Amino acid sequence: MKTKLDILKQYGLSVTDSRKKILELFLNADGALAHADIEKNAAKNFDRVTVYRTLQTFVEKGIVHQIPTTDNSILYALCKQNCQQGHHHDDHVHFICSNCDKTICLDDVTIPQVKLPINFTKQQAAMVVTGVCEDCK
Amino acid sequence: MKTKLDILKQYGLSVTDSRKKILELFLNADGALAHADIEKNAAKNFDRVTVYRTLQTFVEKGIVHQIPTTDNSILYALCKQNCQQGHHHDDHVHFICSNCDKTICLDDVTIPQVKLPINFTKQQAAMVVTGVCEDCK
DNA sequence: ATAATTATGCAATACTGTTGCAAATAAAGA
DNA sequence: TCTTTATTTGCAACAGTATTGCATAATTAT
């Protein structure tokens, strides 16, 4: 089984307390995390700047990906199965529960293809579904 | 033809300078607008707070809708054909051009249905495609 | 025209995100 | 293991973004 340490090394990152702790938060989270969540939940309080920079690094290395929202925040999520192999795919749908406010990666629901108007070229696609999750049903 | 005045009244809103002006900006825009765009483009400079409150009101009334992004900003867009009838549908795909940074409502591209895992209920769906738009091709 | 309601602008405040730099920590090499 | 080198952290300062309360001003209803 891969440890946090292994994961960080695998991505060519120095192993530091903050990275281990933040990675752990993601591994234990059942949904996506916002910057604020991380700042609150980290037992040892890291500097805000460190959290920003760690998240930025994780995004660049492909350990986590960003999820667009309509409430002026960015959510970050790690995709269990992919991340452990070092290939990052975030072509799945994200689900935001309107009851518990959790954001869940629907890893098995792939974003469908859409036919764009002529002369539009696609690079990336994101899809966010709002509704009620299985726990709140 | 419906005037700005008619539209505001139809949604039960008091007709004020700021609302008329901001609505006009949306009617003339060829894409979505961020709060900052509105603040800059309004000839008569409204207070930031007024712009925030106006946008909030427009969203609540269904005159505009929000578009999720991953850069910590919210985009607001009004959908020409629907808004003039008083029915609001934002079930179309939004396109963000990575070259000119414009956000365009692809009114004719409907968000495809996705099959959610069992026990998930869908209320809304949003889809954002990034790429190169027709003007930048 | 007047009263009641609603919206605006200002001030104050809080939250969010970024940059430069010195100190601390981790990695690499002897 | 110790030393050197490279990287990361935390602090301070700053800029941008968003919210709230309240008095004033404008709009709507009577």
Side-chain angles (χ1 to χ4, degrees):
Chain A
M1 182 229 165
K2 293 233 175 190
T3 62
K4 282 161 278 177
L5 206 138
D6 289 331
I7 296 175
L8 290 172
K9 285 200 171 161
Q10 165 191 343
Y11 284 97
L13 292 175
S14 303
V15 177
T16 65
D17 282 355
S18 56
R19 286 180 182 161
K20 274 189 286 184
K21 181 64 193 173
I22 293 175
L23 183 54
E24 186 184 311
L25 288 176
F26 277 111
L27 290 168
N28 294 338
D30 54 348
L33 298 174
H35 171 95
D37 296 325
I38 293 164
E39 218 178 317
K40 277 170 210 145
N41 293 342
K44 177 195 167 191
N45 275 22
F46 301 107
D47 193 89
R48 296 168 44 69
V49 179
T50 302
V51 177
Y52 279 114
R53 288 197 271 229
T54 302
L55 287 172
Q56 201 173 296
T57 304
F58 281 9
V59 170
E60 277 161 17
K61 296 290 180 177
I63 299 179
V64 302
H65 61 269
Q66 297 174 304
I67 305 172
T69 68
T70 50
D71 68 342
N72 258 307
S73 72
I74 301 176
L75 291 171
Y76 299 86
L78 156 151
C79 299
K80 288 119 198 160
Q81 71 277 44
N82 296 327
C83 288
Q84 282 166 12
Q85 300 163 4
H87 312 110
H88 190 74
H89 302 292
D90 58 347
D91 57 352
H92 59 270
V93 173
H94 292 104
F95 188 90
I96 301 179
C97 178
S98 55
N99 187 253
C100 66
D101 263 346
K102 269 190 198 146
T103 298
I104 298 157
C105 290
L106 301 178
D107 292 312
D108 298 327
V109 183
T110 304
I111 296 177
Q113 292 296 317
V114 289
K115 208 177 258 167
L116 297 177
I118 197 157
N119 285 328
F120 281 78
T121 314
K122 173 184 153 182
Q123 287 167 350
Q124 271 197 313
M127 185 161 178
V128 180
V129 177
T130 314
V132 182
C133 77
E134 51 187 352
D135 294 336
C136 293
K137 185 150 196 178
Chain B
M1 183 231 163
K2 295 234 174 190
T3 62
K4 281 161 279 179
L5 204 139
D6 291 329
I7 295 174
L8 291 173
K9 285 198 172 162
Q10 166 191 341
Y11 283 97
L13 293 175
S14 303
V15 177
T16 64
D17 283 354
S18 55
R19 286 179 182 163
K20 274 189 287 183
K21 181 63 191 172
I22 293 175
L23 183 54
E24 187 185 309
L25 287 176
F26 277 111
L27 290 168
N28 295 338
D30 54 349
L33 298 175
H35 171 96
D37 296 325
I38 293 164
E39 219 180 313
K40 277 172 211 144
N41 294 344
K44 177 195 166 191
N45 275 23
F46 301 107
D47 193 89
R48 291 172 54 69
V49 179
T50 302
V51 177
Y52 279 115
R53 287 199 270 231
T54 303
L55 286 172
Q56 201 172 295
T57 305
F58 281 9
V59 170
E60 277 161 17
K61 296 290 179 179
I63 300 178
V64 302
H65 60 267
Q66 298 174 302
I67 305 172
T69 68
T70 48
D71 67 343
N72 257 307
S73 72
I74 303 177
L75 291 171
Y76 299 87
L78 156 153
C79 300
K80 288 122 199 159
Q81 69 277 44
N82 298 328
C83 289
Q84 282 165 12
Q85 299 162 7
H87 310 110
H88 190 73
H89 302 292
D90 56 348
D91 57 353
H92 58 271
V93 172
H94 293 104
F95 188 91
I96 301 180
C97 177
S98 54
N99 187 253
C100 67
D101 265 344
K102 267 191 197 144
T103 298
I104 299 156
C105 291
L106 301 179
D107 291 313
D108 298 327
V109 183
T110 304
I111 295 177
Q113 293 296 317
V114 289
K115 208 176 258 168
L116 296 177
I118 198 157
N119 286 327
F120 281 79
T121 314
K122 172 184 153 180
Q123 287 166 350
Q124 272 197 313
M127 186 161 176
V128 180
V129 178
T130 314
V132 182
C133 76
E134 52 187 350
D135 294 336
C136 293
K137 184 151 195 175

